[in-house]
Amino acid sequence: MLVVGVVFIGLIVWLTVSRVGLISTGSTDAVEQSKPEIGEAVKVGSFYIYINDVSETTDESDGMKVVTIGVTAINKAKEADAFLGSQILLLDTQGNVYNPEISLFGGVTINPGITEKGTVDYHVPASVKITTAMVRAELVDMGGADYVRVNLTK
């Protein structure tokens, strides 16, 4: 009986969080719209997100490189909301998707009208060419988030 109660409570919490947009249950397919470029605003949820710059540092000893993106987030809502660096994924020319390793991007909550700036680092094989950032509004993607693509090649 205790197990059934715990499962039931877990389901209610998951449904509640899912309904308010903190998690999603779809795919990482990006929303097809005009593809913004570095420095252009992307409207994601209550935020305007800017990918300001992209840099790469290669470590020849381990065959990896670190891709660092500079990010600005502006909360345009009338209430505090969360945006994390983990809501930005990178895509290479082969269609591989990379999650961030380190995020020095803001806190969990950004108050209305506040602008936060920071960086997000991704460890990727040195041989790959990163072409796109995929930005989502949901904090956690359980397989159904809508992503907006940002062209990183210019």
Side-chain angles (χ1 to χ4, degrees):
M1 184 70 158
L2 178 63
V3 172
V4 172
V6 170
V7 170
F8 182 71
I9 290 170
L11 180 61
I12 289 172
V13 169
W14 182 80
L15 289 172
T16 302
V17 170
S18 175
R19 286 184 62 200
V20 297
L22 297 177
I23 63 173
S24 176
T25 56
S27 71
T28 58
D29 293 338
V31 174
E32 289 304 323
Q33 56 180 295
S34 63
K35 196 171 179 183
E37 311 222 345
I38 294 173
E40 295 180 351
V42 175
K43 175 88 169 90
V44 180
S46 60
F47 291 96
Y48 284 94
I49 304 298
Y50 295 83
I51 306 295
N52 304 314
D53 53 61
V54 180
S55 64
E56 296 181 358
T57 306
T58 303
D59 182 353
E60 300 295 332
S61 67
D62 66 1
M64 299 294 286
K65 67 181 172 185
V66 176
V67 177
T68 301
I69 60 171
V71 179
T72 299
I74 304 169
N75 183 352
K76 294 292 190 174
K78 294 189 181 288
E79 58 188 42
D81 201 353
F83 190 86
L84 304 172
S86 60
Q87 290 170 249
I88 306 171
L89 306 178
L90 297 183
L91 186 68
D92 69 15
T93 56
Q94 302 301 310
N96 297 312
V97 177
Y98 300 92
N99 290 304
E101 292 279 331
I102 301 169
S103 177
L104 300 176
F105 179 80
V108 172
T109 302
I110 302 174
N111 285 314
I114 299 295
T115 299
E116 288 283 343
K117 294 183 179 186
T119 60
V120 184
D121 289 348
Y122 304 78
H123 291 107
V124 302
S127 61
V128 304
K129 173 147 177 63
I130 298 296
T131 60
T132 306
M134 299 189 329
V135 186
R136 69 175 184 264
E138 296 84 9
L139 291 178
V140 178
D141 181 5
M142 301 279 295
D146 289 326
Y147 286 80
V148 177
R149 294 178 184 228
V150 178
N151 182 2
L152 301 179
T153 60
K154 300 226 175 186

